[in-house]
Amino acid sequence: MTQIDTSVPHSARIWNYWLGGEDNYPVDRAAGDAYTAVFPGIVTIARGSRAFLGRAIRYLVQEAGVRQFLDVGSGLPTVDNTHEVAQKLAPEARIVYVDHDPLVLAHARTLLTSTPQGATAFEDISLYEPERILEAAGRTLDLTRPTALILSGVLGHVADHDRGRELVRRLMDGLPAGSHLCVSDGSRGIDPAYEQAQDAYNETGAVPYFLRPVEQIEAYYEGLDLVEPGVVSVSRWRPEPGTSPEPVGQHAGLARKP
C-alpha cells in the first residue's frame, strides 16, 4: 500500500479544507490559510465550483435525462458529491469515480455509497490513460448509452494545454451521441489576485495547477454543442433564480455530443 505523507500539504486535502471538509491535516490547513491570506477569494471559488457542479448535475438529470456519470479526477469526497446529487433525483443513476491518488482512494472506498437501484464505483486510474478509464468504466456503466463526463478542477494539472485537449477528446470519443462534457477549471483574465496567489503556490514545489485563459477552456468543447449560457464563470452558469452573483476566476461549461 502506498504510504500517505501527512508532513507536506496536499492539494486535494487543501481543497477539502476550503470546502469545509474534515479529511485534512494541520499542514494542509496551514497551507490553505497561507493561500487565503494572499487571496481570501479562493474559498468562494472552491465553494462556487462545487455549487456549479450540483447545478450541472441537476440539469443533466432533470432536463437532459442523463443517468450515467463518469467523474474523472474526482478528488476527496466532501459534500454534494456527484452520486449524491444524481441519485437523489434519479435513484437508478450510475456513477464511476476515477482518481489516481492514494489519499483519494483511501477515503473514496469508505465514503462512496449508492442507492439500491443505482451503482457507484471507484477506479484507480490516471487521467493520462483514457482508454483504460473507459474500459474500467464499462464494467459499471453501459457506454452505449449517454454518459456525462465530469472533469472538475483537474485539467489545470495538465501542464500542456494541447495534451489536455487530446485527453478530453479521447475520453469523449469513447462515449456515444447524447453524452455530455462538463469541465470546470481555474481561469485567467478575471482576478489578478487569484493569478498571483496561484502562480506563487506553483513555485513552492507543490503539484502545480495552471490557470487557463477562457478561450483555452472553451477549446475543450470543440466539436460539441454548448448548453446555454456557454463557458462562463462558475457563479454565472445558470445561477439560482433571483441571484446575480459576481464573476470569479473559475470557468465552466456543459456541452452535448451530437
Side-chain angles (χ1 to χ4, degrees):
M1 181 175 176
T2 304
Q3 183 68 31
I4 296 171
D5 189 350
T6 61
S7 67
V8 295
H10 187 289
S11 60
R13 295 194 305 247
I14 296 170
W15 195 257
N16 176 268
Y17 171 52
W18 287 332
L19 285 173
E22 298 179 353
D23 295 312
N24 48 73
Y25 295 93
V27 65
D28 307 303
R29 295 190 284 274
D33 289 342
Y35 196 115
T36 57
V38 177
F39 178 60
I42 190 62
V43 175
T44 301
I45 287 177
R47 296 181 181 182
S49 299
R50 178 56 53 143
F52 156 75
L53 179 61
R55 296 194 303 274
I57 293 170
R58 288 193 289 274
Y59 169 88
L60 287 163
V61 172
Q62 295 175 312
E63 298 189 46
V66 173
R67 295 294 183 270
Q68 300 192 127
F69 297 83
L70 177 56
D71 190 335
V72 179
S74 53
L76 283 168
T78 51
V79 294
D80 294 334
N81 300 292
T82 296
H83 72 289
E84 293 168 333
V85 178
Q87 291 183 343
K88 185 175 181 179
L89 298 168
E92 72 277 20
R94 304 176 77 83
I95 295 89
V96 172
Y97 292 99
V98 178
D99 211 306
H100 190 51
D101 183 325
L103 175 73
V104 175
L105 181 65
H107 288 275
R109 286 187 170 157
T110 58
L111 295 180
L112 299 181
T113 56
S114 175
T115 57
Q117 305 96 311
T120 303
F122 186 96
E123 299 290 347
D124 177 18
I125 305 172
S126 167
L127 169 65
Y128 296 97
E129 299 177 279
E131 285 75 27
R132 276 194 65 210
I133 289 174
L134 291 165
E135 180 184 6
R139 294 195 286 266
T140 302
L141 310 177
D142 177 357
L143 296 185
T144 66
R145 296 176 52 218
T147 300
L149 171 63
I150 296 171
L151 295 158
S152 293
V154 63
L155 292 172
H157 288 301
V158 182
D160 183 85
H161 177 249
D162 288 338
R163 178 95 185 271
R165 290 179 64 187
E166 179 202 357
L167 293 170
V168 171
R169 179 188 56 76
R170 286 162 66 186
L171 286 167
M172 288 303 295
D173 280 351
L175 303 179
S179 294
H180 285 71
L181 171 65
C182 179
V183 171
S184 169
D185 259 308
S187 53
R188 290 191 177 274
I190 300 294
D191 194 329
Y194 178 30
E195 296 166 21
Q196 181 180 356
Q198 187 60 44
D199 292 346
Y201 175 85
N202 288 350
E203 292 171 2
T204 65
V207 176
Y209 179 84
F210 300 96
L211 306 182
R212 308 278 193 213
V214 176
E215 58 268 22
Q216 290 192 356
I217 297 175
E218 291 172 337
Y220 294 129
Y221 297 95
E222 183 179 4
L224 307 177
D225 296 331
L226 278 165
V227 174
E228 288 293 331
V231 177
V232 295
S233 172
V234 288
S235 57
R236 297 213 166 160
W237 196 90
R238 297 181 175 233
E240 300 299 335
T243 65
S244 183
E246 292 296 314
V248 296
Q250 182 94 359
H251 275 65
L254 186 66
R256 183 180 185 276
K257 182 175 180 178

